[in-house]
Amino acid sequence: MSAILIPVAARIAAALNTTNGSSEHETAMRLMKVTEEAGEASAAYIGMTGQNPRKNITHTTADIAGELCDVIIAATVALHSFTTTPAADLTAKLDAVARRLSATQQ
């Protein structure tokens, strides 16, 4: 996990709170932003594989990687709307996934 992910996401969330507030609607918008960014990653993959014959190949693996980074950032910003301890929650989730992975590899 990038050491700057949580602090930068916290700054983004604070800026959004200042500009847009932190209402239930705003929280929902942040959650929907994750889905929007995931859709852009999918669209980039479609563009990389040339699956749209009208457009042919329009994206690269670097484009997909950038879109996936946007998903991670959007999810981390949204996480700030659902917990007061985003770093601890993310670390706990990563630890749980690592334990499950270790258990399946034994």
Side-chain angles (χ1 to χ4, degrees), residues 61-106:
T61 55
D63 294 325
I64 297 168
E67 294 298 345
L68 289 171
C69 289
D70 288 345
V71 172
I72 293 165
I73 294 165
T76 308
V77 170
L79 181 61
H80 281 77
S81 295
F82 293 93
T83 181
T84 57
T85 57
D89 291 345
L90 180 56
T91 298
K93 179 57 86 170
L94 288 169
D95 288 344
V97 169
R99 281 191 304 276
R100 283 196 307 267
L101 182 60
S102 293
T104 62
Q105 293 177 339
Q106 293 178 3

Side-chain angles (χ1 to χ4, degrees), residues 21-91:
S22 57
S23 67
E24 189 173 307
H25 174 76
E26 180 59 25
T27 299
M29 292 293 101
R30 293 177 195 181
L31 190 57
M32 285 189 272
K33 183 67 175 172
V34 177
T35 304
E36 177 197 6
E37 295 296 349
E40 291 177 11
S42 295
Y45 184 81
I46 290 167
M48 184 194 76
T49 60
Q51 289 299 304
N52 184 337
R54 187 174 48 82
K55 294 182 179 179
N56 206 3
I57 294 175
T58 58
H59 290 78
T60 66
T61 55
D63 294 325
I64 297 168
E67 294 298 345
L68 289 171
C69 289
D70 288 345
V71 172
I72 293 165
I73 294 165
T76 308
V77 170
L79 181 61
H80 281 77
S81 295
F82 293 93
T83 181
T84 57
T85 57
D89 291 345
L90 180 56
T91 298

